[in-house]
Amino acid sequence: MDDSNQADAPQPSAGRGGPTRSLDPKLLERILLQATTAPSEYNLQPWRFLVVRDERNRRRLRAASWNRPEIDRAPVVVIVLAHHFPFRTHLEPMLEQAIAAGSCSPEKAAEIRGRAVASLERPINHELWATRSTMLAAARLMWAAESLGVSSTMLEGSDALRPEFGIPDDHSICCLIALGHEPAPDPTPGRFGLDEVCFSEHFGQPWRA
Amino acid sequence: MDDSNQADAPQPSAGRGGPTRSLDPKLLERILLQATTAPSEYNLQPWRFLVVRDERNRRRLRAASWNRPEIDRAPVVVIVLAHHFPFRTHLEPMLEQAIAAGSCSPEKAAEIRGRAVASLERPINHELWATRSTMLAAARLMWAAESLGVSSTMLEGSDALRPEFGIPDDHSICCLIALGHEPAPDPTPGRFGLDEVCFSEHFGQPWRA
């Protein structure tokens, strides 16, 4: 998941790296709260954040993550998880909260309940379903960090983390976000233009503004 | 994918809705370009944006999308697609661009090529792989819109769109983003607290700042 401008970055020398600064817990909490404001289908919020700060745990995390040095250098690493079945446990609390917030009436809640159950108890790909919203939350987490002056790097997650951190099979490991390490140096590797990734009206039809 | 504060929103009356304002094409292009700055593994940029503005096409889009009224009300709807196999077609152009940008040397590019091919030609879940980065780009698209004063709503995509818009099977339909419609009314339905979605050090262990 990491951008290749991270992957391409030269490893910092021991002199440049130095000891990792810690991240203020209240600032971290603001970042996490911002992440939870992402949108999700039926507001079911399938994201879960496993926050690793303990030094010994970060070493275990690094060992189970292709030994990526960013993990050691960062004072905080968030393991971003997508819960496949939140509609089985979190639909009622969500609706109660929405009614309490004045966002919907009990009648409207009953209608949402019916639609959500009908839609999500079908044999759809629940992992993909949960991953979509969770990546929106991951993006929001990184942006909140950036807005608050905290650098971030997204890294690929590995299933080797499951036994280490007790992650159940119905939670996908979407990515890791290392917070508070040194930012990657410029220049970035660039991006494809809209002529490559954008179409007008029909797949394959060139983009024109 | 839509937030339930959208799903719960009362339908605007005919009087309130009125004719849809158009979206300046140059502003739309800025939003799309911002979306392409999202990070992706090996910088392979699996996102593709299919932009639908033509009124007849928006009607077809609505008919193939559970008849959601947001689609008619918005002057622009972006179908966000995740290309499962960009490493088979876009790895070399990406590396050439990175070398031209001074982001990596030809030697480093060869190393990245080797790692990318080894990693992505394995039997991994390529749909999930592509969806993760694409949802980061979708998040960035919505944020760029918001920063530029353009409202947005994310909606679920349907496979019924494939024949209508020529979308091939190796591109997942991640979501639709309706741009420029009227914003949804407050209040929002709220979100779960960190005690519900955030853990410290081990899965299931309560969050503490």
Side-chain angles (χ1 to χ4, degrees):
Chain A
M1 185 57 54
D2 57 308
D3 195 339
S4 79
N5 71 329
Q6 309 289 348
D8 298 353
Q11 304 308 328
S13 67
R16 184 185 164 222
T20 307
R21 286 176 311 163
S22 66
L23 185 59
D24 174 27
K26 289 293 170 200
L27 191 58
L28 173 58
E29 184 149 300
R30 280 178 68 189
I31 293 169
L32 292 165
L33 277 170
Q34 275 299 310
T36 69
T37 64
S40 58
E41 209 176 349
Y42 299 108
N43 195 27
L44 277 164
Q45 310 162 56
W47 44 78
R48 297 294 181 270
F49 307 114
L50 205 171
V51 181
V52 180
R53 285 176 287 190
D54 177 84
E55 199 179 325
R56 209 182 110 256
N57 286 338
R58 281 187 287 127
R59 280 202 300 271
R60 291 164 61 221
L61 184 54
R62 175 175 171 165
S65 305
W66 302 282
N67 214 26
R68 292 287 298 253
E70 293 88 339
I71 294 170
D72 267 338
R73 294 208 303 267
V76 178
V77 180
V78 181
I79 307 176
V80 179
L81 305 171
H83 181 10
H84 303 183
F85 307 114
F87 52 95
R88 294 187 183 152
T89 49
H90 286 74
L91 184 57
E92 292 311 317
M94 184 281 290
L95 291 171
E96 280 164 27
Q97 193 178 27
I99 292 169
S103 167
C104 75
S105 65
E107 294 71 32
K108 183 76 186 170
E111 188 214 308
I112 295 172
R113 180 186 299 113
R115 280 196 286 121
V117 170
S119 161
L120 296 171
E121 286 290 0
R122 288 177 303 154
I124 62 167
N125 185 332
H126 290 101
E127 180 176 27
L128 205 56
W129 174 85
T131 295
R132 286 196 294 261
S133 301
T134 299
M135 291 309 292
L136 295 179
R140 197 158 287 202
L141 197 160
M142 292 180 78
W143 253 309
E146 193 162 326
S147 320
L148 292 165
V150 175
S151 61
S152 64
T153 303
M154 188 171 279
L155 301 163
E156 198 182 349
S158 160
D159 274 331
L161 296 170
R162 292 192 181 279
E164 293 290 336
F165 293 92
I167 300 165
D169 286 342
D170 60 1
H171 286 61
S172 295
I173 302 171
C174 289
C175 61
L176 311 180
I177 301 178
L179 292 173
H181 70 100
E182 290 187 52
D186 285 323
T188 68
R191 293 293 189 270
F192 298 131
L194 293 182
D195 56 330
E196 195 65 54
V197 301
C198 194
F199 308 121
S200 279
E201 305 295 333
H202 196 89
F203 188 89
Q205 202 162 278
W207 162 252
R208 44 162 190 76
Chain B
M1 185 58 50
D2 58 309
D3 194 339
S4 80
N5 69 329
Q6 309 289 350
D8 298 354
Q11 304 308 328
S13 67
R16 185 184 164 222
T20 307
R21 284 178 311 165
S22 66
L23 185 58
D24 174 27
K26 289 293 170 200
L27 191 58
L28 173 59
E29 184 149 300
R30 282 178 68 189
I31 292 169
L32 292 165
L33 277 170
Q34 274 300 310
T36 69
T37 63
S40 58
E41 209 176 349
Y42 300 109
N43 195 26
L44 278 164
Q45 310 162 56
W47 44 78
R48 298 293 181 270
F49 307 114
L50 203 171
V51 181
V52 181
R53 285 177 287 190
D54 177 84
E55 201 180 322
R56 208 182 109 258
N57 286 339
R58 282 189 287 125
R59 280 203 299 271
R60 289 164 61 220
L61 184 54
R62 175 175 170 164
S65 306
W66 302 282
N67 213 25
R68 292 288 298 253
E70 294 88 340
I71 293 171
D72 267 338
R73 294 208 303 266
V76 178
V77 180
V78 181
I79 306 176
V80 179
L81 305 171
H83 181 10
H84 303 183
F85 307 113
F87 52 95
R88 294 187 182 152
T89 50
H90 286 75
L91 184 56
E92 292 310 318
M94 184 281 290
L95 291 171
E96 280 164 26
Q97 192 179 26
I99 292 169
S103 166
C104 75
S105 64
E107 295 71 30
K108 185 76 187 169
E111 190 214 308
I112 294 172
R113 179 185 299 113
R115 281 196 288 122
V117 170
S119 161
L120 296 172
E121 286 290 0
R122 289 177 303 153
I124 62 168
N125 184 332
H126 290 101
E127 180 176 28
L128 205 55
W129 174 86
T131 296
R132 286 196 294 261
S133 302
T134 298
M135 292 309 292
L136 295 178
R140 197 157 288 203
L141 197 159
M142 291 180 79
W143 253 309
E146 193 163 324
S147 321
L148 292 164
V150 175
S151 62
S152 64
T153 304
M154 188 173 280
L155 302 163
E156 198 182 348
S158 160
D159 274 331
L161 297 170
R162 292 191 181 282
E164 293 289 337
F165 294 92
I167 300 164
D169 286 341
D170 60 0
H171 285 62
S172 295
I173 301 171
C174 289
C175 61
L176 311 180
I177 301 178
L179 291 174
H181 68 99
E182 290 187 53
D186 285 324
T188 67
R191 294 292 189 271
F192 297 131
L194 293 182
D195 56 331
E196 193 67 54
V197 300
C198 193
F199 309 120
S200 278
E201 304 296 330
H202 196 89
F203 188 89
Q205 200 162 278
W207 163 252
R208 45 162 190 75

